[in-house]
Amino acid sequence: MQGKPFIKKIVLGVTASKALLEKAAQAKADTVIVHHGWFWRNEDSCIVNQKYERIAYAIKQELNVFGYHLPLDAHPEWGNNTQLGVVLELQILMQDGKPVSCGEQKLVWLGEPPLGKERLGDFVSHIEEKLGRQVLFIGDKNKRVKKVAWCTGGAQGFFDVAINAGADVFITGEASEQVYHMAQESGVAYIAAGHHATERYGIQALGRAIKQQFPSIEVDYIEIYNPI
Ligand SMILES: [Zn+2]
């Protein structure tokens, strides 16, 4: 989107919500970079209501708005999956210098839990501590984890990919009704750790990378509360 002609200050956030745009404008940023943008497949693309409000506000404030959705999930270095692995201290399964991924869209990463956190109960507490929030857990806390599969955000539909990959536990952001039964029947544990909470880290890593490459640009991540 056309905004100010020069980029001097970037605000990064998970979602291009009105709240983030307002914080960016208050911070005198000229550019906003997000993971969740404004236009989604199968969604009415008419620019009305909240969509209009957000876009009108961004134009009025002359903000440049950039959104990187799937590329920021899948990026081997700065992506959400890799960065969640780093935050949770997972031992990421690598091949030829890249994370091993599976599923149709290659968005499910594999690895091992940190040493000493192999009991599911301990692993769940570890995740809650690292993310600073409670998670939804389905499984037997006394079971041991060898193989972890994860995909940040709303990847409840990829639970079967994790099961087929032989994982002992699947971590994603959200849960749907059917995953409870799938977890019970497969014996594979399920952790819904928050869509927002699991997707905060890719955009922050991108911010650090931008700062490294363009030291004169001011770069700031702004956290907007979202319990989902
Ligand atoms: Zn997402």
Side-chain angles (χ1 to χ4, degrees):
M1 182 187 292
Q2 187 174 334
K4 293 218 172 73
F6 293 101
I7 294 178
K8 290 186 193 138
K9 178 161 186 174
I10 301 173
V11 157
L12 300 113
V14 177
T15 300
S17 62
K18 188 83 185 293
L20 181 72
L21 299 174
E22 285 170 354
K23 292 255 181 191
Q26 277 165 23
K28 305 230 177 309
D30 43 62
T31 299
V32 173
I33 307 180
V34 294
H35 176 52
H36 297 139
W38 292 326
F39 296 93
W40 301 93
R41 211 181 331 166
N42 303 326
E43 193 187 83
D44 185 354
S45 56
C46 287
I47 299 172
V48 293
N49 302 326
Q50 276 67 47
K51 204 173 271 171
Y52 172 83
E53 297 291 337
R54 290 172 175 188
I55 293 170
Y57 185 82
I59 291 171
K60 211 170 146 206
Q61 299 291 331
E62 294 184 283
L63 291 168
N64 299 291
V65 181
F66 297 79
Y68 298 99
H69 188 229
L70 291 184
L72 195 61
D73 284 318
H75 193 280
E77 206 180 327
W78 312 322
N80 281 321
N81 277 347
T82 294
Q83 291 298 322
L84 184 68
V86 171
V87 168
L88 299 182
E89 298 167 353
L90 306 175
Q91 302 170 55
I92 302 175
L93 190 63
M94 306 282 281
Q95 202 172 39
D96 304 323
K98 280 189 175 172
V100 174
S101 57
C102 48
E104 198 192 319
Q105 288 179 285
K106 299 267 172 222
L107 283 173
V108 176
W109 264 224
L110 299 170
E112 290 175 25
L115 287 174
K117 308 290 179 195
E118 294 87 355
R119 201 185 71 91
L120 258 174
D122 297 332
F123 188 47
V124 169
S125 307
H126 167 79
I127 294 170
E128 290 184 332
E129 191 197 306
K130 291 290 170 192
L131 299 185
R133 74 190 304 273
Q134 277 196 315
V135 303
L136 185 141
F137 172 72
I138 307 158
D140 175 355
K141 287 200 167 172
N142 287 315
K143 265 189 133 177
R144 296 189 81 74
V145 188
K146 271 196 230 106
K147 198 174 197 177
V148 183
W150 69 97
C151 181
T152 64
Q156 51 269 64
F158 290 160
F159 190 21
D160 60 332
V161 174
I163 295 169
N164 291 337
D168 302 298
V169 59
F170 180 55
I171 307 167
T172 184
E174 298 181 26
S176 294
E177 190 270 349
Q178 65 268 26
V179 300
Y180 175 77
H181 300 289
M182 281 170 76
Q184 296 291 352
E185 292 166 25
S186 65
V188 178
Y190 191 97
I191 297 171
H195 190 137
H196 174 85
T198 57
E199 298 203 318
R200 281 182 296 210
Y201 305 106
I203 197 83
Q204 292 182 49
L206 179 63
R208 290 192 294 273
I210 292 170
K211 186 75 203 163
Q212 210 169 27
Q213 201 162 337
F214 304 98
S216 64
I217 297 179
E218 225 183 304
V219 178
D220 228 342
Y221 167 78
I222 293 184
E223 170 78 6
I224 302 286
Y225 173 74
N226 187 340
I228 300 164

